[in-house]
Amino acid sequence: MTQWIAVALAITSAVCLALGTQIQSAAVTGHTGGALSPRGLLVLVRNRRWVGGLALLASGTLLNVAALALATVTVVQPLGVIALVITTLLHARRRRLTINRRTWLAVALCSVGGAGFVACAVPATDPSHVAGAGAERLVVLLLTGLVVLVGVAEVVLRRRRISMFYVLAAGVLYGFVAVLVRLTMTALLSGGIGAVHWLSVLMILVAALLGGWMVQCAYSCGPPDLVIAGLTVVDPMVGVALGLVVLGEAGAGLTTGTAVTMGLAGLVAIVGVVLLSRYHPEVLQRRAAARARTTDPGSGTRPRAATTPCRGEHADQ
């Protein structure tokens, strides 16, 4: 029963995250014409719409934390894919986009893959399992290295504006955050404030802030539903992998057949993300606009350079 309460909290969290993502994305794209800079972020902090989106995202995060306190990472994290459907519909309405068949197929694949993953994860995990201190230290060590790597890569790749880098980096960081939140809440509920490992709390804050910056940068050069699609696939996969391999959350129900089914469900969701990144109507519009800027139909010549909305959207040309 407790796990299903966690599922309900996670679904409500997904709704808040979808609404907050749509609102923040609109605020970011309305105030930036290129790569988001720290100065641009300071401008956004004074934007009421952006702050409202932040409040929704914070509410969604708190609900997700409550869900993680009641159930394992493996059960809670994949439910975030519900946010994709909501974000896609809201964004299409705001931009007056016609959602094409391939986009609907992509959304369906992400949703079916996520739902299948959860259906397999619920009986395959042990919600009463408590990870040891060694496992938590390993997660913190891995996350520390990841934060350094992502921070350096962000500085090096900033001018290239590779959208999938932002999305993948945020997804991996948030996957680690979910695991550490689960460990921290478990320690707090079982042993009180004295049982909490404060280095884990510090790394939660650092990774969450860096992941938030990655998300804001992704908003500046891509549709919000593509960002959500990447996060709702990468985030849970990282969380599940850490939960099963590092934390030992696998229960007696995790058979070979169940593991294979979970893998196939995850693959279906990944295919959905790839399709969305290639055939989303806004991505197609950006691609067409980039072609128009790089080629002069009147003279048949190419100008010296063109500014693309975001690298990674033209890889299939």
Side-chain angles (χ1 to χ4, degrees), residues 17-193:
L17 293 176
L19 295 173
T21 295
Q22 176 59 40
I23 293 172
Q24 278 208 324
S25 174
V28 170
T29 55
H31 283 75
T32 58
L36 182 66
S37 65
R39 180 178 297 180
L41 185 60
L42 291 177
V43 174
L44 287 171
V45 170
R46 297 192 292 269
N47 183 290
R48 291 183 179 180
R49 183 167 55 173
W50 187 87
V51 173
L54 181 63
L56 281 169
L57 291 174
S59 299
T61 300
L62 291 175
L63 288 169
N64 198 60
V65 169
L68 287 168
L70 298 176
T72 63
V73 173
T74 311
V75 172
V76 172
Q77 289 308 101
L79 287 167
V81 76
I82 295 172
L84 170 60
V85 180
I86 301 172
T87 304
T88 299
L89 295 174
L90 290 175
H91 186 62
R93 181 177 180 181
R94 185 180 74 86
R95 294 292 301 271
R96 294 184 172 87
L97 298 171
T98 300
I99 304 178
N100 55 46
R101 292 182 180 180
R102 287 176 173 173
T103 298
W104 279 123
L105 175 61
V107 171
L109 290 176
C110 290
S111 302
V112 170
F117 202 100
V118 171
C120 295
V122 171
T125 56
D126 179 11
S128 63
H129 174 75
V130 178
E136 185 170 356
R137 283 195 296 269
L138 180 57
V139 173
V140 170
L141 181 62
L142 291 172
L143 180 56
T144 302
L146 178 64
V147 166
V148 173
L149 179 62
V150 170
V152 172
E154 201 279 336
V155 173
V156 173
L157 300 175
R158 159 163 287 276
R159 293 185 180 275
R160 301 184 65 184
R161 301 188 70 214
I162 304 174
S163 59
M164 288 310 296
F165 162 70
Y166 296 133
V167 173
L168 292 175
V172 175
L173 287 168
Y174 284 146
F176 272 86
V177 168
V179 170
L180 286 180
V181 167
R182 165 68 176 170
L183 292 173
T184 301
M185 293 302 298
T186 300
L188 181 64
L189 293 175
S190 61
I193 193 72

Side-chain angles (χ1 to χ4, degrees), residues 188-236:
L188 181 64
L189 293 175
S190 61
I193 193 72
V196 173
H197 298 93
W198 294 105
L199 182 57
S200 296
V201 176
L202 175 62
M203 289 310 302
I204 288 172
L205 295 175
V206 171
L209 289 173
L210 182 57
W213 172 253
M214 296 289 104
V215 168
Q216 298 300 319
C217 290
Y219 288 154
S220 70
C221 60
D225 29 351
L226 176 57
V227 177
I228 283 288
L231 293 178
T232 53
V233 170
V234 177
D235 179 342

